[in-house]
Structure formats: C-alpha cells, structure tokens
Amino acid sequence: MNHFAWDAFAVGLRWAAATAAAVMLVTFAIALAKGVHRVVDAAWGAAFAAVSVVVLAASAGEGDLGRRLLVTGLTAVWGLRLAVHIARRGRGHGEDPRYEAMLTRAPGNRNLYALRMIYLLQGALVWLVSLPVQAAQYASAPLSVAAWAGTGLWAVGLFFESVGDAQLSRFKADPANRGRIMDRGLWSLTRHPNYFGDFCVWWGLFLVACDGGWRPAAVSVVSPLVMSVLLINGSGKRLLERHMAGRPGWDAYVARTSAFFPWPPR
C-alpha cells in the first residue's frame, strides 16, 4: 500500500525550516566575524545536507527506509561537495562583487540588510527547494524504477557540476589563461556545465520523490521548477552572462556554444 504520512510530513517541514534558518544564522555570525558575506555561498550546499539529515532523523518510523536513505545520501553528497568546492574557491579572497554591489545600495545598516536579503532569503529557498528531499522521506511505497531513473539523472548532474568545476579551476590556475574564456572540456558543450548539473540534480531528486507516489510529487514539484528558473533566468546563467558580456572572446564563445543544455559546438 502506498501511504503518505501527512501529519509527520507537516512536522518535518518545521524541522527543515528550523535547520535551514539555524545554518544561515550561524553563517551570518561567521560572516560578521570575518568581515565578508561571501561565506554564505558555501553554506548553501551545507544547508541542504543538514536539512536532509535532520529530516531523516525526524521521519524515523515513517516511509520506506530505502528511499529515505537514498534521498538523504544523494542530497548530502551533492551539498557537501558544493560547500567544500565553494569554500576552497573563496579562500583568501575579499567580498564577492555581487554582495558588495548589493550592500553598497543598502538602505540603513548593511549587515541587517544582508541578514534579510541574503541569509534569510537563502534559508527560505533552501526550505522550498528541498521539498522533494523532505517529501520522499514520508512515502511508504518501496523503491522502483523512478527512483533509479532519478538517481541516474542525479549522477549526470553531479558529473557535469563536479567535472565542470574542476576543469574551470585548473584553467584559472594557469597564468597563461588570464583574460581568456574557458571553452574546453564540458565548457565547449555548454556555457554553464555547473548550472546544468544543478538542474539535473534537482530534477533527479524530484524523480526519487515521485517514486513514492503522486502525493510527494504534488507537494514538491515546485522545487525543480523554482530551481530551473533561478538557474536559467535568475541568479545563475543570466546574472553570470551579464557579468561576462564584453570580455574579449565572449561573443565568439556565445555564438558557437550552447546556452545551457549540452550540445556539440557550432
């Protein structure tokens, strides 16, 4: 029988919200001590990992154990890899230009504005986007083909994200590449292999939730839709390309390389 524990899910929603808020508030305290708000970028992935583990504990005795462990493991691996990568990338650097520009225009106290518009907003997005991870914990149906299809899509996403990040890091580490556009490896197939990877990860996790039936699918479909909008038209692809516009070689790279979904270069 396919059962979904609505009451327990409602309690889990509160645990997830409290966890996301706690991670962001701790990160805010660290940012004040360090004097830079860019540390919140590393907290994004860590917050998802924390939410997945806390909801796993909160859902004890509910749902199919295989799905609960699967969705928690997938989320934790993705979130912790992303957190470590961003923390290493930002080590030794000053404030992120995006946050500096935002806070320069802040009305009133900069730090309080950052708390509202960066930390609490990202905490709310963590709670919203993690809905498939939360909902999958409370469905009793045993694992089936949709869960493994979702895991496969998640693996494609993790590959594009992690390999793309590694290729870009090696490219930037070579002084000979200073001022050049990265157009090798996965970056020759899509201008945003890491964002495309995120896209696949969250649609994959949604499929794992769908494996539990229409109820977890219905309550969590907003997650991959919101993530897709953010990655393609929000703070991901659109914002980065606006920042890159005008650099030498950028227009030629745009002309021959797929905007988002991987495709052989033209």
Side-chain angles (χ1 to χ4, degrees):
M1 180 179 179
N2 186 359
H3 172 71
F4 187 75
W6 287 105
D7 292 342
F9 173 63
V11 174
L13 290 174
R14 294 194 284 271
W15 276 109
T19 302
V23 171
M24 289 302 165
L25 290 175
V26 169
T27 306
F28 179 64
I30 294 172
L32 293 182
K34 294 175 68 70
V36 291
H37 291 290
R38 72 181 305 149
V39 296
V40 72
D41 292 340
W44 173 254
F48 282 104
V51 165
S52 69
V53 172
V54 168
V55 176
L56 173 67
S59 62
E62 305 287 350
D64 177 73
L65 180 59
R67 182 179 297 100
R68 293 171 59 221
L69 293 175
L70 176 63
V71 76
T72 301
L74 296 180
T75 307
V77 167
W78 170 81
L80 293 177
R81 187 217 70 87
L82 182 62
V84 170
H85 169 72
I86 293 179
R88 286 177 175 172
R89 186 182 67 186
R91 186 182 302 162
H93 293 277
E95 187 61 278
D96 188 298
R98 297 170 301 159
Y99 298 139
E100 186 60 43
M102 176 190 295
L103 297 177
T104 297
R105 303 188 299 268
N109 185 284
R110 282 168 54 106
N111 288 327
L112 291 179
Y113 184 78
L115 176 63
R116 296 194 310 272
M117 300 305 297
I118 299 176
Y119 296 86
L120 296 182
L121 178 59
Q122 288 202 26
L125 283 173
V126 167
W127 177 85
L128 180 66
V129 173
S130 66
L131 282 175
V133 181
Q134 301 177 54
Q137 309 272 5
Y138 298 95
S140 62
L143 290 172
S144 66
V145 64
W148 304 121
T151 302
L153 185 57
W154 173 93
V156 170
L158 187 69
F159 172 81
F160 268 84
E161 189 172 350
S162 56
V163 173
D165 284 340
Q167 289 175 342
L168 183 61
S169 295
R170 287 196 298 271
F171 180 84
K172 288 184 173 181
D174 186 348
N177 292 325
R178 183 166 298 174
R180 297 177 60 189
I181 297 295
M182 171 53 162
D183 60 355
R184 308 170 187 174
L186 296 180
W187 298 83
S188 68
L189 304 177
T190 166
R191 301 201 293 268
H192 304 280
N194 46 0
Y195 292 155
F196 170 73
D198 260 2
F199 174 90
C200 292
V201 161
W202 285 101
W203 280 105
L205 290 171
F206 172 67
L207 281 179
V208 176
C210 290
D211 186 62
W214 69 267
R215 295 171 182 85
V219 299
S220 61
V221 66
V222 65
S223 162
L225 292 174
V226 167
M227 185 59 96
S228 299
V229 170
L230 290 175
L231 290 170
I232 299 174
N233 295 316
S235 58
K237 172 184 176 293
R238 183 179 62 85
L239 190 62
L240 180 58
E241 294 201 347
R242 183 187 302 170
H243 176 70
M244 295 292 293
R247 293 193 179 189
W250 175 251
D251 290 342
Y253 177 60
V254 168
R256 68 176 179 270
T257 309
S258 174
F260 191 78
F261 295 99
W263 196 257
R266 290 182 287 275

